[in-house]
């Protein structure tokens, strides 16, 4: 949502120092990890669809919080919400992929691994491209 954000842009719009920008990015990773560990099995009990719906609503809330942020506190809150929602969605989507595979197939785990790794690689490459 706020990536790629060059430090000069973050400093200009939100008045953030590079250290504060690092914190804003780091809380996302921590929230994502917590969500993957804690919420990962929730879709086994509640179902994939309800968890995905709540995760998508969480992503929408996170985008609104970051879009209207006027300081580091709101940015951190938005990134925490985003990390929790992304972790919940990732767990439910991964489990759903395994559910849909044919018996004996190993395609589900392969898609889960390749999708995550490939997505991170594409985002890292695209993150270096300046916006027009």
């Amino acid at each position: 949502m706020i990536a790629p954000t060059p430090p000069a842009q973050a400093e200009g719009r939100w008045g953030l120092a590079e250290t504060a920008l690092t914190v804003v990015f780091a809380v996302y990773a921590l929230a994502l990890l917590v969500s993957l560990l804690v919420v990962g099995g929730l879709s086994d009990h509640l179902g994939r669809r309800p968890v995905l719906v709540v995760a998508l609503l969480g992503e929408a809330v996170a985008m609104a919080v970051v879009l209207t942020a006027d300081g580091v506190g709101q940015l951190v809150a938005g990134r925490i919400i985003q990390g929790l929602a992304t972790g919940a969605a990732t767990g439910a989507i991964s489990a759903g992929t395994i559910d849909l595979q044919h018996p004996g197939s190993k395609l589900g785990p392969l898609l889960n691994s390749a999708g995550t790794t490939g997505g991170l690689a594409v985002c890292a490459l695209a993150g270096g491209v300046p916006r027009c």
Side-chain angles (χ1 to χ4, degrees):
M1 284 190 314
I2 62 173
T5 303
Q9 181 182 356
E11 187 176 340
R13 177 167 179 191
W14 294 296
L16 296 181
E18 288 185 28
T19 305
L21 186 59
T22 300
V23 170
V24 169
F25 280 100
V27 295
Y28 169 81
L30 292 174
L32 177 68
L33 178 63
V34 167
S35 183
L36 286 170
L37 293 173
V38 175
V39 183
L42 194 60
S43 68
D44 293 338
H45 301 289
L46 299 177
R48 312 290 183 233
R49 187 168 293 162
V51 172
L52 285 172
V53 167
V54 171
L56 287 174
L57 291 173
E59 294 286 357
V61 169
M63 284 189 271
V65 170
V66 170
L67 182 66
T68 60
D70 60 0
V72 70
Q74 287 177 312
L75 287 172
V76 167
R79 293 291 284 179
I80 290 172
I81 295 167
Q82 183 189 23
L84 294 173
T86 301
T90 301
I93 290 169
S94 296
T97 303
I98 301 296
D99 292 344
L100 294 174
Q101 74 179 359
H102 295 291
S105 173
K106 297 186 182 188
L107 187 59
L110 175 66
L111 288 175
N112 285 334
S113 298
T116 303
T117 305
L120 288 171
V122 168
C123 288
L125 291 173
V129 176
R131 294 185 205 177
C132 299

